[in-house]
Amino acid sequence: MKITKIRLNNFRSFYSEHSIQLATSEDSPVSIFIGENGSGKTTMLNAIYWAFTGEFTKQFEGKSNVINKDALIEGSRDCFVELDIDNGNDIYRLMRTYRKGDISSDVHLQKVDSHGIHKPVSQDLAKTLVERLMPKKLANWFIFDGEAIGHLQLKGDPLFKDEIHQTFGFGDIRKLLEILTVIKKEYRREEQKLIADDALDNLAVRLDQCEEAKRGHEAQLHNLNITIDSAQAEISSAESQLSKYSQSEPIQKSIQNAEQGLSTAKSKLKGCLSNRAQFAAKNALATLLQAKLSELVVKLNIKEDEQSLPQPFGTRLIQDIKELGYCICGTPVLPGGEAMAKLDALMQRAATTKLIQKIFTIRSQLDQYAKVGDTFESELANFSNDIVRYESDINDYREAIRKHEIELDTIPHDEIKKLKDQWRKNKALLERAQDDRSRARVYLEQTQQLLSNTQQELEKKLQEKSKGGNIAHARKKLELVESYVSRRFHQQEEQVLRSLESELSASIYKYMTKNFKAEIDPNNYAVRVYDSDQRQVDLSTGETNLIKFAVIAAIVGMAANRTSVSHVKWLTEPIIAPLIFDAPFSVVDAEYRAGIATNLSNLSSQLILFFDSDKWDVELSALLLGKVGKFYTLISHAKGEEKSTKKRMRIKDKTIELNRYGAVRDHTTCEEVSL
Amino acid sequence: MLNENSMNKDLKGVGDSALENLTKLMLKTINNSKSPSKENLNVNELKKTIKDLIENSELDYEDN
């Protein structure tokens, strides 16, 4: 489906009527609209959205003011948006109108025949056809503000799976399978009515019970899969958030180390203070006395010099005799001899003189005090140095603890606790659900086996009873169709997923230049990316947005058979619609812009892009202009005199004014730029 | 595109081609029955149409 022309009348900032032709050719399917902020880009996008759905995008402001304000003042009561649509087979003109005071808008559809004659389609059929061209649920896929790409969930969101199914028409196939099951049941009942047989009745009851049980197990499995997916998502979310707070552990460890260091330093300080006190107590008196006693020594020496003290009795003489080895009388004094023994006895007696003994004692004590005095100060200084060092260590440890505690205060402990609780709760839930799922799978397998056996038994009986019967005949045809549809459905789904994986991997390689591989979980359609070592890759927000755009481009491209992968032979027509983006690159990193622009323009059958004039640059121009079939500027017209704030931009070699003054009313016009 | 509930000649015979045509016809019927203006589409009518399509088709199940 392509939109060939848009016509707006009194819609929002578009006063009166505006007609805009869009690019639709295979080679140049891109239409570009550029305008300054507030010039009506989002309005134009919403005009298309509204024409299809009767609603506006979530981001659109002032939804209740549909009719142009000046037109209302001047007496107009209506507005409309009209789209000319080429559906490949048919051409339609879709018009949505709104009249002031009405609760809702009206949709009108005309089918244009080969002679160009417009034939109105009934209201009911019009609604059906419009829904088929652009299903309301899928409008967000095709028409959106660039920022809305963030809402697309690739982690196994049921909505994402449902939307892909809708795009490729799988919903209708599932519905057909459901209807076939109901019809098959009816056939069986009819067959049973025709052939009254207790054995058959019992078998039929058993079959019903088996089917009921199978449905129950399948539903249980489905719910358990959802629970498991959800628990896994919660666990992974909690882990991812907790990993952000993992710095608290090294901080706590540092605090513990600092506290241990503090305790050791305190204990060393205490020991040192105690040792110093003991040392001082033991030696301080000696040091004090040393000073006093040295005066006494001086006095003693003086006394000795003055000979006012009794000379040590003959001690000098005895010493001399012992050293000489003979007495003054000539008697030899030999070591160990009798004379030596007598001399020693004399020395002993001389030393026992009370005064001399005291002087000896004092001198000896003085010697000791002198020794203590020599080291006392340096020892005390050593103690003081140790104390200063330990006190400094204590201060350092305290400061470190304080700093770490401040760091720790910035970490939201409640949040961490909450996340840990969430992790534990979901881990337990996941384990329980996985156990339950294993059991449910066994039950389902057993039930399927029982069902198959019962079916065979019933079949045999029915064949015996109603060979050649019309109902059995019809039922068998139906079973043949059912088996075919089921096989084709699973084949197509598999092909879609594998093709999507291949397209995504190619986009990642091409635009992120990384050799990653995209995989899609067939259960919940979660998109995961793996590196060359098969490890799951955590992508940045910018990379994720690139993947999201790649997903949209790949799906749209596959539906329109524009991808490089093998074409799918669809059982139902997929939805093929234009991609319409406002500010498409507002949420992607600049480095990926080129890749996304190229991908979108290659894969979409029609691409309509709205850019802020500030965002349109040489690079985009070079990338897209080759594919652009129509290029428009949205001009803001304002009342009043010209101001110096006129905004201009250059497109190729042309300079275009984006705002003009002196208008009768504020409004927007759309002007084509020929390229 | 619409109102094509009549039987198709191609449905005669056996093999995937006949089955595919019948399937496409049934899916088209389902698609046509969707109308936003009818909140509860008539499931019984849809069922009956699909039943008719299968019964009137000349698929030969014994050869499949």
Side-chain angles (χ1 to χ4, degrees), chain A residues 94 128 247 354 457 575:
Chain A
L94 162 68
T128 307
Q247 73 270 30
K354 255 189 178 176
E457 211 178 322
I575 305 291

Side-chain angles (χ1 to χ4, degrees), chain A residues 49-81:
Chain A
Y49 195 96
W50 182 67
F52 280 119
T53 65
E55 292 170 6
F56 297 106
T57 58
K58 276 182 192 162
Q59 293 80 10
F60 196 48
E61 289 170 359
K63 291 174 180 152
S64 54
N65 305 320
V66 187
I67 306 171
N68 179 275
K69 283 177 196 164
D70 286 303
L72 270 176
I73 292 166
E74 290 165 22
S76 291
R77 292 178 56 78
D78 308 278
C79 72
F80 70 76
V81 174

Side-chain angles (χ1 to χ4, degrees), chain A residues 321-322 325 327 331-346:
Chain A
I321 291 169
K322 281 169 95 174
C327 184
T331 312
V333 179
L334 298 169
E338 193 184 340
M340 186 62 91
K342 277 182 184 171
L343 277 174
D344 284 344
L346 276 172

Side-chain angles (χ1 to χ4, degrees), chain A residues 431-657:
Chain A
E431 281 166 10
R432 259 200 322 275
Q434 280 170 334
D435 287 348
D436 290 349
R437 184 169 65 175
S438 305
R439 273 195 295 279
R441 277 179 178 154
V442 174
Y443 294 150
L444 180 63
E445 222 167 86
Q446 288 169 349
T447 311
Q448 276 169 332
Q449 188 57 48
L450 190 61
L451 182 68
S452 164
N453 294 344
T454 314
Q455 268 170 338
Q456 279 172 16
E457 211 178 322
L458 185 65
E459 186 67 31
K460 211 172 145 193
K461 279 260 177 206
L462 286 172
Q463 268 179 3
E464 285 166 10
K465 286 274 181 186
S466 63
K467 212 165 189 178
N470 285 340
I471 299 167
H473 182 64
R475 178 173 53 80
K476 280 173 193 166
K477 278 208 281 191
L478 179 135
E479 281 168 354
L480 178 67
V481 173
E482 187 187 32
S483 134
Y484 174 79
V485 175
S486 173
R487 176 163 55 85
R488 285 295 306 275
F489 171 49
H490 290 111
Q491 272 173 358
Q492 283 200 353
E493 190 185 24
E494 177 72 13
Q495 200 178 352
V496 162
L497 293 182
R498 298 297 82 84
S499 303
L500 199 51
E501 282 174 354
S502 161
E503 277 294 314
L504 289 183
S505 301
S507 292
I508 292 169
Y509 182 71
K510 207 165 164 187
Y511 305 120
M512 278 161 54
T513 58
K514 286 177 179 169
N515 199 10
F516 291 165
K517 192 169 174 288
E519 282 186 16
I520 300 170
D521 188 327
N523 290 319
N524 58 7
Y525 287 21
V527 179
R528 298 188 186 102
V529 176
Y530 296 91
D531 65 13
S532 49
D533 296 326
Q534 279 303 303
R535 285 178 306 219
Q536 195 175 339
V537 179
D538 280 333
L539 297 169
S540 68
T541 310
E543 289 170 333
T544 307
N545 285 337
L546 170 77
I547 304 268
K548 288 177 180 178
F549 271 109
V551 165
I552 288 178
I555 288 170
V556 170
M558 275 166 60
N561 272 342
R562 287 173 72 98
T563 56
S564 54
V565 295
S566 60
H567 293 172
V568 182
K569 275 181 79 184
W570 305 109
L571 277 175
T572 51
E573 289 282 324
I575 305 291
I576 303 169
L579 277 180
I580 306 168
F581 295 143
D582 183 12
F585 308 128
S586 54
V587 292
V588 293
D589 296 346
E591 59 186 302
Y592 302 137
R593 224 171 44 147
I596 295 171
T598 314
N599 211 19
L600 289 173
S601 60
N602 285 339
L603 293 176
S604 9
S605 52
Q606 187 181 22
L607 184 62
I608 303 168
L609 298 174
F610 296 88
F611 287 99
D612 193 286
S613 49
D614 293 339
K615 304 282 188 263
W616 179 260
D617 55 25
V618 181
E619 187 196 22
L620 277 175
S621 179
L623 278 166
L624 288 170
L625 279 186
K627 292 262 179 186
V628 173
K630 289 283 177 186
F631 198 107
Y632 292 99
T633 47
L634 292 167
I635 313 290
S636 306
H637 297 264
K639 287 190 280 192
E641 289 189 8
E642 184 168 320
K643 290 177 189 168
S644 56
T645 54
K646 268 192 142 178
K647 202 157 185 182
R648 295 180 178 85
M649 69 178 291
R650 280 192 71 77
I651 298 163
K652 284 214 154 178
D653 52 348
K654 301 178 183 70
T655 302
I656 291 157
E657 283 180 358

Side-chain angles (χ1 to χ4, degrees), chain A residues 315-442:
Chain A
T315 45
R316 183 75 224 167
L317 179 63
I318 293 165
Q319 291 264 347
D320 290 345
I321 291 169
K322 281 169 95 174
E323 281 170 18
L324 282 169
Y326 56 87
C327 184
I328 45 172
C329 61
T331 312
V333 179
L334 298 169
E338 193 184 340
M340 186 62 91
K342 277 182 184 171
L343 277 174
D344 284 344
L346 276 172
M347 272 295 275
Q348 192 68 33
R349 272 205 302 279
T352 54
T353 308
K354 255 189 178 176
L355 184 59
I356 289 169
Q357 209 170 14
K358 276 183 185 168
I359 290 168
F360 269 178
T361 311
I362 289 166
R363 281 186 191 281
S364 151
Q365 195 65 47
L366 273 174
D367 283 347
Q368 279 181 25
Y369 288 170
K371 277 180 198 161
V372 171
D374 288 345
T375 58
F376 186 75
E377 289 300 327
S378 67
E379 282 294 321
L380 270 187
N382 285 343
F383 278 121
S384 297
N385 286 342
D386 285 347
I387 288 165
V388 168
R389 199 174 73 239
Y390 295 140
E391 281 175 343
S392 161
D393 285 352
I394 287 169
N395 284 338
D396 287 349
Y397 284 127
R398 280 186 175 142
E399 182 60 16
I401 290 168
R402 193 183 66 79
K403 278 184 184 165
H404 289 319
E405 279 175 346
I406 289 170
E407 275 181 75
L408 214 53
D409 282 347
T410 61
I411 297 166
H413 297 283
D414 289 349
E415 177 67 16
I416 292 173
K417 189 176 175 301
K418 211 172 107 190
L419 286 168
K420 282 187 176 167
D421 286 348
Q422 178 193 336
W423 187 89
R424 272 192 289 274
K425 195 179 113 196
N426 281 290
K427 193 81 181 164
L429 183 67
L430 177 69
E431 281 166 10
R432 259 200 322 275
Q434 280 170 334
D435 287 348
D436 290 349
R437 184 169 65 175
S438 305
R439 273 195 295 279
R441 277 179 178 154
V442 174

Side-chain angles (χ1 to χ4, degrees), chain A residues 128 186-187 473 477 488, chain B residues 20 34 47 55 57 61:
Chain A
T128 307
E186 284 180 2
Y187 279 144
H473 182 64
K477 278 208 281 191
R488 285 295 306 275
Chain B
E20 177 156 339
K34 284 190 285 190
K47 209 168 61 187
E55 284 176 9
S57 71
Y61 58 86

Side-chain angles (χ1 to χ4, degrees), chain A residues 296-313:
Chain A
L296 184 61
V297 171
V298 173
K299 281 181 185 169
L300 274 172
N301 288 340
I302 293 167
K303 290 277 182 192
E304 272 179 358
D305 290 346
E306 288 170 352
Q307 297 193 336
S308 53
L309 273 176
Q311 276 293 324
F313 179 71

